[in-house]
Amino acid sequence: MTQALDQERATAAAWFRTLRDEIVASFEALEDRQTKGPTASLPAGRFEVTPTKRSAEDGSDAGGGLMSVMRGGRVFEKVGVNVSTVYGDLGPAAQKAMAARGVPGMESDPRFWASGISLVAHMQNPHAPAVHMNTRMFWTPHAWWFGGGSDLNPCIEYADDTAHFHATQQAHLAPHGDDLYPKLKAWADEYFYIPHRNRARGVGGIFMDDRNSGDWAADFALTQDIGRAFLPAYVPLVDARRDTVWTDADKEAQLVHRGLYAEYNLVYDRGTKFGLATGHDANAVLMSLPPMAKWI
């Protein structure tokens, strides 16, 4: 049993790293293509890669990963693509949060293992949409599950872009059952909602958490297809909008919209709370925040 578990965890962690490598290469290729407009004279952006580390309360090694961030590119104003594999014992606050979600055995055995990829992109051109994506696996001695999804966050909405983003995700989920896409879309609409603003932070996408059907291979395959949907859902939108002429009013709208993103991630996002509560690298956890934002 232990050997099989170790293999499953290693397989999941390796795939998250492979997806990270594919996305980084794709985004740098977008930067290499010449862009018109105010950012045309900038050099093509490149990711800066920094190892991250999680330390246990006693200072011992508890895993880590890679933080890959590109700043000030032709296309991306700031984009981060992080991968991590962390483990150890959950602290009291994290144990309580997990127990509240129905995870059994937290009081008696707080060990955990988690691995995943997390991505957030903030764009130079206000017409090109910001985006978020993550997939992850979590394990405790009494439970395991997968989670993740992606959602589109344009400050200037285009119906065609929204339709393409959702249709691509629906196509990738179709092999897993016709009822899955509507369920995960509705879950995203609920999860990425900002109660104190009475609005969604974007135009939605797909989201799942606590996925454990009892069939690890099937749930992992679903998680992989959520990840595989990301580049074909998103890159064509960037290509379509990267050279659109923008005005000062467009840029103002972008900065104000980014305020929504910052509010959501700091107040409601479960991943942000978990990362900070479990002692992961704070810079990596807060990578999702935009480089500049504005509030009215």
Side-chain angles (χ1 to χ4, degrees):
M1 178 67 72
T2 300
Q3 185 176 1
L5 170 63
D6 288 344
Q7 183 59 51
E8 288 173 350
R9 296 196 301 200
T11 298
W15 188 80
F16 296 137
R17 174 59 189 267
T18 297
L19 181 60
R20 174 264 177 206
D21 294 346
E22 292 174 357
I23 292 171
V24 164
S26 179
F27 281 6
E28 289 189 343
L30 282 170
E31 285 286 323
D32 286 337
R33 298 203 286 278
Q34 192 60 48
T35 297
K36 300 176 184 177
T39 63
S41 61
L42 295 175
R46 286 294 179 267
F47 282 93
E48 298 177 10
V49 181
T50 306
T52 62
K53 185 176 181 180
R54 177 182 179 271
S55 296
E57 291 185 3
D58 63 1
S60 61
D61 175 57
L66 291 177
M67 176 174 64
S68 304
V69 181
M70 182 195 302
R71 299 178 177 87
R74 294 169 175 168
V75 177
F76 297 96
E77 187 171 358
K78 179 187 176 186
V79 53
V81 188
N82 293 352
V83 287
S84 65
T85 299
V86 296
Y87 45 83
D89 290 348
L90 293 171
Q95 290 178 44
K96 184 177 180 180
M98 289 295 172
R101 289 171 56 188
V103 179
M106 283 286 96
E107 298 82 1
S108 60
D109 192 341
R111 288 178 297 156
F112 83 100
W113 177 97
S115 185
I117 175 174
S118 179
L119 175 155
V120 177
H122 299 288
M123 313 306 290
Q124 292 279 20
N125 193 320
H127 294 271
V131 75
H132 154 264
M133 185 277 294
N134 79 80
T135 58
R136 59 192 176 275
M137 177 187 167
F138 199 95
W139 171 91
T140 75
H142 302 281
W144 58 262
W145 65 87
F146 290 95
S150 60
D151 66 300
L152 198 66
N153 296 272
C155 69
I156 300 171
E157 296 182 16
Y158 290 92
D160 288 348
D161 290 3
T162 301
H164 171 83
F165 190 77
H166 282 276
T168 305
Q169 293 178 326
Q170 184 173 13
H172 280 75
L173 293 184
H176 304 277
D178 292 338
D179 63 332
L180 193 58
Y181 168 74
K183 178 181 177 181
L184 299 195
K185 179 184 182 299
W187 201 338
D189 290 341
E190 178 182 359
Y191 185 76
F192 297 114
Y193 188 79
I194 307 174
H196 67 267
R197 296 292 187 183
N198 296 314
R199 60 158 295 172
R201 76 176 188 184
V203 295
I206 53 175
F207 179 77
M208 70 174 185
D209 211 351
D210 303 333
R211 176 77 180 191
N212 182 338
S213 69
D215 185 335
W216 187 92
D219 291 346
F220 180 48
L222 168 60
T223 304
Q224 288 177 295
D225 279 336
I226 290 174
R228 292 187 185 109
F230 173 70
L231 286 175
Y234 183 62
V235 169
L237 309 185
V238 178
D239 269 334
R241 308 297 174 192
R242 59 185 290 161
D243 292 331
T244 302
V245 176
W246 78 73
T247 66
D248 290 344
D250 294 336
K251 200 67 178 176
E252 178 82 1
Q254 182 189 50
L255 294 176
V256 171
H257 189 82
R258 285 177 177 176
L260 294 174
Y261 202 94
E263 290 176 15
Y264 177 87
N265 277 35
L266 291 174
V267 177
Y268 301 110
D269 185 72
R270 188 181 294 170
T272 301
K273 292 179 180 180
F274 179 82
L276 295 176
T278 56
H280 197 51
D281 187 297
N283 289 328
V285 175
L286 298 174
M287 167 275 295
S288 60
L289 296 179
M292 292 190 293
K294 193 169 185 177
W295 284 263
I296 297 174

